[in-house]
Amino acid sequence: MSEPGPLDGIVVLDLATLFAGPLAATILGDYGAEVIKVEHPVKGDPSRTHGPAKDGHGLWWKMLGRNKKAITCDLGSAEGAELVRALVTTADVLIENFRPGTLERWGLAPDVLREINPRLVIARVTGFGQFGPYSGRPGFGTLAESMSGFAAATGEPDGPPTLPPFGLADGIAALTCVNAIMMALHHRERSGGSGQVIDLAIIEPLVTLLGPQPMIWDQLGIVQERTGNRSVNNAPRNTYRTKDGRWVAVSTSSQNIAERVLTLVGHPEVIDEPWFAGGSGRAKHADLLDGYVGGWIAERNADDVISAFEKAQAAIALVYDIRDVFADPQYQALDTITTVEDPDLGPLRMQNVLFRLDRTPGSIRSTGAAKGAHNQEVYGSRLGLAAEEIDRLHAKGVI
């Protein structure tokens, strides 16, 4: 039996789909919240069929649905909406990502829900937010990666704008959503028990991560261009190929590391150049510095390169694929990829909880459950519905 997490006693209704909202709920569940995942009785959560599956079981769902009680409910039906309103009475958090106006159309508007439960924190996660000219558009993480400025600055200088091969914007939005929920819960406890509504637009968090780009444009009129793996702020910073065909990444964000690297690769003379004294100056001489570093690395096998850099206390890492992540001793020590017992697939390795707390650690208590697996438990125990009533709602397609 796992020890209670820091969010033990917090009840979360996860009404969201694909992917930011559900991932936020997953993280809350990892740290002890009781998460009730509400899915459409027929369609279910799209993540169940998104991406590869094994033996008919979607692997993404096994992670995204972990630590959640899976129930079904047709939110668009009158009886389904009534069930949600009943669940709200004992909930602390509700997460949804429908287009603005959808909850209102179903009779589940925030003002209705907060009248039922003034303590409720409602997180509304949409592509473009609850207002503005784009608010009614369908929104996905890909659009946020495109519109935020991320894709325009990512890729080779002579190549196209580059999108990430995974849900970057959704993942960052999920982490942001968790932060917002925790702030709202903290405020609730300090303000006498009042919840509030969180309006999170997926297009916004990535803009924050652009660093100074908005101010550089505002004050200097400069638009950051694509520079491949190079940085506009320092050099050498790139990926380099070793003699045995591996790739390594080198970073010299601090001046002393840059000096160590150039000394290691046999060119200490450049350290005395006036332009070498700052990251911006080094970035303007990236061709020269990449030539020195890349040439030295190309003459040596990866193990020798890593060993030499570590001895020199310079920053380097092999470029990993997922096989390397599984095999790496540091990840193994952290248990970053942990093994969970799944009722369908047996031992299943997946990402562990995000961070370690020494007194109230998070845990993975279950993998993504079958659709509606907890209908009897939630509707029966939490709402007190009789078995006959649950059967009637199921037969009618409400749940």
Side-chain angles (χ1 to χ4, degrees):
M1 182 73 177
S2 300
E3 292 187 22
L7 298 181
D8 185 50
I10 296 294
V11 178
V12 179
L13 297 181
D14 175 9
L15 275 59
T17 60
L18 288 181
F19 284 104
L23 181 56
T26 301
I27 295 168
L28 295 174
D30 285 350
Y31 290 94
E34 179 185 0
V35 179
I36 300 172
K37 173 68 180 179
V38 183
E39 302 177 74
H40 189 276
V42 178
K43 300 174 184 177
D45 190 290
S47 66
R48 289 183 178 275
T49 57
H50 207 87
K54 181 181 179 182
D55 299 335
H57 300 284
L59 296 177
W60 203 331
W61 166 254
K62 290 295 185 182
M63 180 268 182
L64 197 63
R66 74 188 191 192
N67 292 334
K68 298 181 182 182
K69 294 179 178 178
I71 69 170
T72 52
C73 182
D74 182 359
L75 304 179
S77 69
E79 288 186 289
E82 183 58 37
L83 289 173
V84 172
R85 287 191 288 268
L87 289 170
V88 160
T89 61
T90 59
D92 297 282
V93 178
L94 183 146
I95 303 174
E96 64 96 5
N97 70 336
F98 302 104
R99 289 195 209 181
T102 302
L103 282 189
E104 288 79 356
R105 190 171 69 250
W106 291 338
L108 298 171
D111 57 347
V112 173
L113 300 180
R114 291 169 70 184
E115 184 174 345
I116 298 170
N117 180 359
R119 292 173 54 81
L120 186 68
V121 172
I122 303 171
R124 313 194 76 175
V125 185
T126 58
F128 303 102
Q130 294 296 312
F131 57 91
Y134 302 163
S135 60
R137 294 181 180 180
F140 297 97
T142 298
L143 307 188
E145 291 146 7
S146 176
M147 291 178 61
S148 64
F150 170 84
T154 304
E156 294 299 325
D158 57 351
T162 302
L163 296 168
F166 57 90
L168 178 65
D170 278 299
I172 292 173
L175 295 172
T176 305
C177 185
V178 171
N179 282 331
I181 289 170
M182 297 311 300
M183 290 180 189
L185 289 173
H186 179 65
H187 175 265
R188 185 183 75 175
E189 299 312 307
R190 294 185 62 187
S191 65
S194 298
Q196 57 186 303
V197 178
I198 298 163
D199 177 7
L200 173 60
I202 296 175
I203 61 172
E204 291 188 293
L206 267 179
V207 177
T208 296
L209 298 189
L210 295 181
Q213 283 192 50
M215 292 166 288
I216 292 172
W217 162 248
D218 175 60
Q219 297 296 308
L220 302 175
I222 297 173
V223 176
Q224 181 168 321
E225 299 178 350
R226 292 187 289 283
T227 57
N229 291 322
R230 287 179 173 175
S231 169
V232 297
N233 301 311
N234 65 81
R237 189 265 197 178
N238 214 326
T239 57
Y240 308 93
R241 194 165 190 174
T242 64
K243 183 179 179 180
D244 53 349
R246 297 296 303 271
W247 288 91
V248 295
V250 172
S251 175
T252 58
S253 295
S254 65
Q255 182 67 23
N256 61 342
I257 295 293
E259 293 174 4
R260 292 172 191 169
V261 169
L262 269 298
T263 299
L264 172 64
V265 302
H267 289 279
E269 73 279 1
V270 298
I271 296 174
D272 296 324
E273 295 288 344
W275 53 262
F276 196 88
S280 297
R282 298 198 308 274
K284 293 176 182 177
H285 293 78
D287 285 343
L288 175 68
L289 298 178
D290 273 347
Y292 288 158
V293 176
W296 185 89
I297 288 174
E299 295 174 350
R300 293 161 174 82
N301 291 333
D303 288 346
D304 296 330
V305 170
I306 296 294
S307 177
F309 267 73
E310 289 183 348
K311 185 176 181 180
Q313 298 185 50
I316 193 170
L318 283 167
V319 176
Y320 281 179
D321 62 26
I322 194 60
R323 295 169 295 186
D324 300 309
V325 172
F326 270 59
D328 182 83
Q330 181 61 34
Y331 280 128
Q332 290 176 355
L334 296 174
D335 198 28
T336 304
I337 303 296
T338 195
T339 301
V340 185
E341 192 65 27
D342 179 75
D344 301 308
L345 301 175
L348 179 61
R349 288 188 286 180
M350 65 171 66
Q351 304 96 318
N352 207 340
V353 299
L354 279 171
F355 47 83
R356 289 158 291 280
L357 298 174
D358 67 344
R359 295 183 63 186
T360 54
S363 63
I364 303 173
R365 300 171 299 283
S366 64
T367 56
K371 188 174 63 176
H374 298 92
N375 278 353
Q376 291 286 343
E377 176 185 340
V378 172
Y379 290 130
S381 300
R382 182 169 289 274
L383 298 188
L385 298 185
E388 295 79 11
E389 177 64 5
I390 295 174
D391 291 340
R392 183 191 71 81
L393 291 170
H394 183 269
K396 193 176 180 180
V398 176
I399 64 174

